């Protein structure tokens, strides 16, 4: 799933409830925004026909469907997400596209158990950074896999190199005091420190960690979003919008005006509101 801003009030997002509903409300814009990173991770994963793959935190299921098409006809893609709203929509979209080898399960990936034989591969585009206790969570995921199975995950790099999040929060902080997030705490930047991620994966029984760097400009709300449309998506669907919602009317309007000004400055015709992004594309072996 997608990242939220690195602030204390945004920790512990309720992905089974409020945050899942917010994501669903702007699903297509969220998917368009992070699709380039997901596509880069899919290319790196290089799935083959016949493989059985778990997709952790797939949101609306775009990556699960892409994997299912690649591994068809004998392979299978299973999307596991904690949000019942997103699981329902993901299943609906797979059915509408006639993708019979994609299925979706509403469960907490940190604790889920699955029947049948272990899976061949695991994939996660921004769905692994929110585990409250990551070592046992990844150990549980490892238990679902064949020995030697490969995992491919995307996680956000350091905040200072993800200006698409931090510039927005910089605007908010000119109006509201927002405490900083704790290092290594569950959230979008939980694994910005690759040494920490290596500790987690090693502790869970994975080895051979290898990393590629994704760097680009993030289109807020997708390449077709105007500054005003990007602003409405951010405030209605991302965690930063909750912080703004809690303020009085004059403060909310001031923040809206300053965010719109920022988005105007970052807007490129035909490409959207573009802001710097950096992610780690990480591979390891069970």
């Amino acid at each position: 799933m997608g990242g939220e801003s690195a602030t204390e009030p945004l920790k512990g997002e309720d992905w089974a409830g409020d945050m899942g509903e917010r994501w669903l409300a702007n699903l297509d814009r969220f998917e368009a925004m992070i699709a380039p990173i997901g596509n880069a991770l899919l290319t790196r994963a290089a799935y083959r026909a016949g493989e059985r793959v778990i997709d952790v935190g797939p949101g609306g299921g775009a990556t699960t469907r892409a994997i299912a098409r690649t591994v068809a006809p004998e392979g299978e893609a299973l999307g596991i997400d904690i949000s019942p709203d997103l699981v329902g929509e993901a299943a609906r979209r797979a059915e509408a596209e006639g993708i019979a080898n994609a299925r979706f399960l509403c469960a907490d990936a940190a604790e889920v158990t699955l029947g049948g034989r272990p899976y061949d591969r695991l994939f996660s585009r921004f769905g692994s950074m929110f585990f409250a206790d990551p070592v046992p969570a990844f150990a549980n995921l490892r238990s679902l896999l064949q020995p030697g199975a490969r995992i491919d995950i995307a996680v956000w790099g350091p905040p200072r190199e993800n200006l698409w999040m931090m510039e927005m929060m910089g605007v908010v902080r000119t109006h509201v005091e927002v405490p900083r997030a704790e290092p290594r705490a569950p959230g979008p930047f939980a694994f910005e420190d690759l040494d920490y991620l290596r500790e987690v994966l090693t502790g869970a029984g994975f080895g051979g960690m290898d990393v590629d760097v994704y760097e680009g400009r993030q289109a807020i709300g997708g390449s077709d979003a105007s500054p005003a449309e990007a602003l409405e998506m951010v405030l209605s669907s991302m965690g930063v919008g909750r912080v703004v919602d809690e303020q009085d009317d004059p403060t909310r309007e001031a923040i809206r005006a300053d965010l719109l000004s920022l988005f105007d400055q970052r807007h490129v015709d035909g490409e959207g509101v573009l802001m710097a992004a950096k992610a780690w594309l990480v591979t390891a072996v069970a």
Side-chain angles (χ1 to χ4, degrees):
M1 292 191 290
E4 298 301 316
S5 106
T7 62
E8 187 70 17
L10 306 188
K11 287 171 56 183
E13 288 94 341
D14 179 16
W15 286 103
D18 178 62
M19 288 309 301
E21 294 169 2
R22 285 173 174 261
W23 188 274
L24 181 60
N26 277 278
L27 180 57
D28 290 332
R29 290 207 176 277
F30 272 125
E31 289 289 358
M33 190 166 71
I34 60 177
I37 302 173
N39 291 340
L41 187 63
L42 286 168
T43 298
R44 178 175 166 83
Y47 293 113
R48 297 174 296 181
E51 290 184 312
R52 299 170 68 247
V53 184
I54 296 172
D55 187 359
V56 174
T63 50
T64 314
R65 298 195 304 275
I67 294 167
R69 286 190 289 265
T70 301
V71 303
E74 300 299 327
E76 173 194 355
L78 170 64
I80 301 175
D81 203 288
I82 201 169
S83 167
D85 296 298
L86 290 172
V87 165
E89 179 62 13
R92 187 194 69 76
R93 292 187 177 207
E95 183 178 4
E97 294 180 20
I99 303 176
N101 65 326
R103 64 187 183 95
F104 298 88
L105 175 66
C106 183
D108 183 350
E111 302 175 351
V112 67
T113 58
L114 302 174
R117 62 188 175 92
Y119 281 74
D120 304 310
R121 305 280 299 275
L122 183 140
F123 180 95
S124 184
R125 177 197 60 180
F126 303 128
S128 64
M129 304 99 69
F130 297 91
F131 293 133
D133 199 348
V135 172
F138 273 98
N140 185 65
L141 293 175
R142 183 175 176 272
S143 74
L144 309 177
L145 301 172
Q146 301 270 14
R150 171 174 157 176
I151 66 171
D152 290 270
I153 64 175
V155 299
W156 292 114
R160 63 185 175 278
E161 298 180 72
N162 277 288
L163 298 182
W164 78 277
M165 298 185 194
M166 302 317 294
E167 285 191 336
M168 285 191 289
M169 288 311 303
V171 167
V172 174
R173 285 193 173 99
T174 63
H175 299 275
V176 180
E177 183 176 350
V178 183
R180 304 283 177 175
E182 299 174 14
R184 303 185 175 187
F189 298 116
F191 298 134
E192 61 167 299
D193 180 349
L194 289 173
D195 288 336
Y196 173 57
L197 178 55
R198 191 183 304 275
E199 289 177 19
V200 168
L201 293 178
T202 300
F206 291 95
M209 189 176 107
D210 183 68
V211 181
D212 270 352
V213 180
Y214 175 94
E215 290 185 277
R217 292 190 297 171
Q218 192 87 338
I220 309 302
S223 60
D224 65 338
S226 68
E229 290 169 332
L231 176 65
E232 291 309 314
M233 190 213 78
V234 166
L235 293 183
S236 66
S237 299
M238 292 181 65
V240 65
R242 296 204 318 245
V243 176
V244 178
D245 287 345
E246 293 169 357
Q247 311 311 314
D248 57 36
D249 288 344
T251 304
R252 282 200 302 271
E253 290 308 310
I255 294 173
R256 287 181 63 94
D258 286 353
L259 282 174
L260 184 59
S261 176
L262 172 65
F263 290 173
D264 279 331
Q265 295 169 33
R266 300 292 185 268
H267 185 259
V268 176
D269 288 340
E271 298 183 52
V273 177
L274 300 178
M275 304 170 78
K278 185 171 186 175
W280 307 127
L281 307 183
V282 180
T283 297
V285 179

